[in-house]
Amino acid sequence: MSSLTQPASAFRQPAADGYSLGGFQWRHAQPDPQRPLVIINAATSVRCRYYSRFADYLFAQGFDVLTYDYRGIGESRPASLRGFSASWSDWGRLDFEAMLQRAAEQFAGQPVDVVGHSFGGWAVGLAPSAERVRRVVMVGAQFAYWRDYAAQQRWQLFGKWHVLMPLLTRVYGYFPGKRLGWLEDTPAGVVDDWSTRTPRFEHRPSGRSLASLPFAQVRAATLAISLTDDPFGTVAATERLLGYLTHAERLHLRVAPGDISVDEIGHFAFFHDRFREALWPIALRWLGQGQLGAEVPGQIIS
C-alpha cells in the first residue's frame, strides 16, 4: 500500500431527518479548492470499511475521500434493527444527500465525484443535490430487477433474494444476513425494495413515495463498469439504470476477466487490492480526467 500523509479519521454526520451516520474520511493536510473529493457509495448491506483500500488508493493519488455506512448498516447501525425504518430511497435521498451536504460544508468549493458500487450507483440519482456531482464511476450498478440477472443463475438468485430473504425478514423483523454469511443484517424496508419484482424503481415500495425521482438532475460524466461474470450487473441491468440518467453523459464499459488475464472478478472483487494495477486505474483516470485511457481493457457497450 502506498504511504499516506494522513490516516483516515472517523466522523459523524446528521442526515436531514436528524439520523446520525458514521463514516471515515481521508483528507489531505493542506486544503486545495482544486482537489476533488470522492464519496464512495457502498453496495446494499456492505460495510464502508470494505472500500478502505480503494479509498487509500484514491487518497494517495491526490483525492480527498469519504466513505460512510447507510442507516442500519455498520457505523450507522442502531441498537436494534427490529422495527427500524429504512429503505433504499432513504439511503439515497437522506444518507447520500447527507454526504453531499458534508461536502458542501467541510470541503467547500472542491469538485465532488462519486464511486458507486451496486446499489451505490443507483443512490446517486436519489439525492436532491445530485446536480452537484461532477463525475461518477459505477461498478456493477443496478437495482435488482430479477429478470436482468444472468440467465444461468437467475432462478437461484431469485429464490435467494426474492423468496427466502423476504420470508426470513418477516420472521425476524429484519434480514439476519450476517449470521447466514449473506452480507450484513438489513432493515426490512430495504428488503422490501430489493425483493419487489418490478422493472421500474418508482414502482418499488419506497420509490412510490417519491413524487419525482431526482435522476433528471444528474449531469455528471458517468462511467458504468460492468463485469461479464457479475450475475447482477448484466448489460440489461446496467442499461436499465443508465436509462434513468437522461441528462448525463453516459459511457458503459464491459470488462471480462480474460481482458485482464484473470479467471474471475464477479460482483464484489473490483474493490479488492489485487486489482490495484489492472482495474483501479480505469476509475482513477475517469475521476481525474473524465475519460478512458487508450489501452483500457474491455468493450464499450454504449
Side-chain angles (χ1 to χ4, degrees), residues 82-101:
R82 188 181 295 274
F84 179 72
S85 178
S87 68
W88 264 350
S89 291
D90 292 337
W91 284 2
R93 71 181 180 87
L94 294 173
D95 299 353
F96 173 52
E97 175 68 17
M99 296 306 116
L100 292 176
Q101 296 302 321

Side-chain angles (χ1 to χ4, degrees), residues 39 47-48 88 99 103 122 142 165-166 173 199 232 239 282 298:
I39 301 172
R47 297 187 67 162
C48 69
W88 264 350
M99 296 306 116
W122 179 253
Q142 35 68 50
M165 180 172 66
F232 298 100
E239 291 293 316
I282 303 173

